Amino acid sequence: MFLGQLLTLLILLFINSRVLYLHHVKRDSIVMLAPFALILSILLVLAWGINYFNLLIIVLTFLTVIINIRAMLRYSEKLFLDIYSLLMKIGSITLAAVTIVLILFSVIIHPVNLSNKKLNLTVTTEKLEGNFRTGFSKQRAFSKANIILTEISPKDEKLSNHVILFVPDIRGDSSAYMPFLKLLASNDFTVLTADFYTNDCSWFTGIKNTKFCRNFFIQDEYFNFNDDYKKKQNDFIYNYYMETEHLVKTARERYGTDCNFFLIGDSLSGKAVKQFAEKNNTDISGSFNLEAVSDYKSAGFGMVEQTDYITARRLNLKRDKNCTTPNLLVTQTLPEIYNSFLGGTK
């Protein structure tokens, strides 16, 4: 997402700063990048979901298109470039200045990336289609992905027949927990996590329940309408339970019936994971709720200190390049895993 945001902002800077360096040309071809930038900004939302930074980029690209409509019409009619109006110069320079600020901001607060190569990990993604009622199968061409499975595993030695299954809270998603999951996998474990987007497990109604809207609106409800969020907690736990059940089923098909599973959840998903583990204790080795770690201040949102600066600030947390929280959670989780899988020893 960061690279997509940066590319879109650089294109906007190129367009809006041209009034400073483009003179005495017959046709203003650069202006036609404006609708391209608008399309890119929309694709960012469709690919990564709505967040405040992506919305701000959409606003900037829309304003860029608006103030350049006349220039685009002149270009499409093959007319010569006339002198830029004072109003257009002011608007373009203002947008260019705002874009520069956003570029610097995005570079400073970009997500902390834990190198797969340095951790000696392989990260693979698989998409499935279907729903809880009919089951899931491999995604076909041009069909909608209803489950996105992400597997993080060591490239070399790993504990065979021992797999950790993670159910994220929807205030984050699997990508929000990736620093923790990668550090966990670097301890010789295969980790499998899933994001579910099905029509028979609704968190909202209408467009709010779509992949690119759900996270944004669940966070909005948590921060701005907390009473409504609390009233829905039992419904949320029920949804997480269904997700846990089908993640385990998918993992069984993937790794075999002899594989041992340890379940991890966070906040409400952690409660559902615990319920499932207790009900199926002959099939599940153990479970852990990350919320139980008292120093974990962003429970339910994931590793926002590394992945989402704006949400971190809303939680009164600062950006942390050293991955303090992910390392802490791994330290607290590993003893539970070793105890469940290996009787307390590695």
Side-chain angles (χ1 to χ4, degrees):
M1 178 169 63
F2 164 68
L3 293 178
Q5 291 172 336
L6 187 60
L7 173 62
T8 307
L9 289 172
L10 288 173
I11 292 173
L12 286 178
L13 180 61
F14 184 54
I15 297 167
N16 288 309
S17 62
R18 78 189 191 286
V19 297
L20 300 176
Y21 62 79
L22 195 64
H23 303 288
H24 309 298
V25 294
K26 291 184 177 181
R27 298 182 69 195
D28 183 9
S29 57
I30 294 175
V31 71
M32 298 311 293
L33 288 174
F36 175 68
L38 181 59
I39 292 171
L40 277 182
S41 66
I42 294 172
L43 289 176
L44 278 175
V45 169
L46 294 177
W48 298 100
I50 297 175
N51 60 48
Y52 288 107
F53 200 78
N54 283 345
L55 287 177
L56 186 55
I57 291 176
I58 287 179
V59 170
L60 279 178
T61 56
F62 182 75
L63 291 175
T64 298
V65 169
I66 292 298
I67 68 171
N68 284 283
I69 284 179
R70 182 173 180 272
M72 286 189 289
L73 289 174
R74 292 187 64 84
Y75 180 82
S76 64
E77 295 294 332
K78 299 182 179 180
L79 298 175
F80 289 153
L81 172 69
D82 59 351
I83 298 173
Y84 294 122
S85 68
L86 178 61
L87 186 61
M88 181 184 174
K89 286 183 178 180
I90 293 173
S92 294
I93 292 172
T94 301
L95 289 178
V98 173
T99 303
I100 290 173
V101 171
L102 289 183
I103 290 173
L104 293 174
F105 180 74
S106 66
V107 170
I108 292 172
I109 58 93
H110 75 277
V112 177
N113 180 36
L114 295 180
S115 170
N116 296 338
K117 185 176 181 180
K118 289 183 179 179
L119 292 174
N120 198 33
L121 298 174
T122 299
V123 179
T124 58
T125 301
E126 182 180 351
K127 296 180 179 180
L128 306 177
E129 62 176 78
N131 56 42
F132 294 108
R133 180 175 51 84
T134 61
F136 298 93
S137 59
K138 189 174 181 179
Q139 182 190 18
R140 296 165 297 177
F142 307 110
S143 63
K144 179 183 177 182
N146 300 112
I147 302 181
I148 301 175
L149 291 170
T150 304
E151 181 189 84
I152 309 103
S153 61
K155 288 183 178 179
D156 300 322
E157 182 181 353
K158 66 185 74 173
L159 292 173
S160 60
N161 292 328
H162 294 83
V163 175
I164 298 169
L165 304 180
F166 180 73
V167 181
D169 191 294
I170 64 163
R171 284 171 286 175
D173 54 21
S174 294
S175 62
Y177 292 88
M178 199 52 65
F180 163 70
L181 299 178
K182 284 185 177 182
L183 290 173
L184 193 59
S186 69
N187 287 274
D188 303 328
F189 288 107
T190 295
V191 179
L192 182 69
T193 182
D195 297 295
F196 289 81
Y197 305 96
T198 67
N199 56 12
D200 56 353
C201 182
S202 296
W203 305 81
F204 291 105
T205 57
I207 194 172
K208 288 184 178 181
N209 200 53
T210 57
K211 175 185 173 183
F212 55 90
C213 289
R214 192 177 70 183
N215 177 261
F216 179 83
F217 283 105
I218 199 71
Q219 286 195 14
D220 179 68
E221 187 167 280
Y222 176 83
F223 284 115
N224 300 315
F225 306 98
N226 198 255
D227 289 340
D228 292 339
Y229 177 84
K230 290 179 178 178
K231 290 177 183 177
K232 297 178 181 177
Q233 288 192 10
N234 288 334
D235 293 334
F236 291 166
I237 292 173
Y238 176 77
N239 287 353
Y240 287 127
Y241 190 94
M242 283 201 300
E243 292 186 353
T244 304
E245 184 176 34
H246 281 267
L247 177 59
V248 171
K249 181 180 178 181
T250 301
R252 286 270 180 231
E253 296 170 355
R254 190 183 184 98
Y255 302 109
T257 56
D258 295 332
C259 189
N260 298 307
F261 296 121
F262 186 91
L263 297 175
I264 300 177
D266 184 17
S267 192
L268 297 183
S269 75
K271 294 179 181 179
V273 157
K274 182 181 179 182
Q275 290 178 11
F276 184 87
E278 290 174 348
K279 188 175 180 180
N280 300 272
N281 55 15
T282 57
D283 298 324
I284 303 300
S285 297
S287 67
F288 188 76
N289 189 346
L290 297 180
E291 190 179 43
V293 180
S294 59
D295 289 331
Y296 174 37
K297 305 301 182 183
S298 55
F301 292 88
M303 312 298 107
V304 292
E305 294 156 292
Q306 289 76 43
T307 63
D308 188 345
Y309 176 82
I310 294 176
T311 301
R313 293 307 303 156
R314 296 180 81 180
L315 294 168
N316 296 317
L317 300 172
K318 297 180 180 179
R319 185 171 184 266
D320 175 27
K321 295 187 295 184
N322 298 318
C323 291
T324 303
T325 296
N327 277 296
L328 170 67
L329 292 176
V330 169
T331 300
Q332 296 293 315
T333 307
L334 281 177
E336 301 288 337
I337 296 171
Y338 291 141
N339 184 61
S340 298
F341 278 161
L342 308 170
T345 60
K346 183 174 180 180

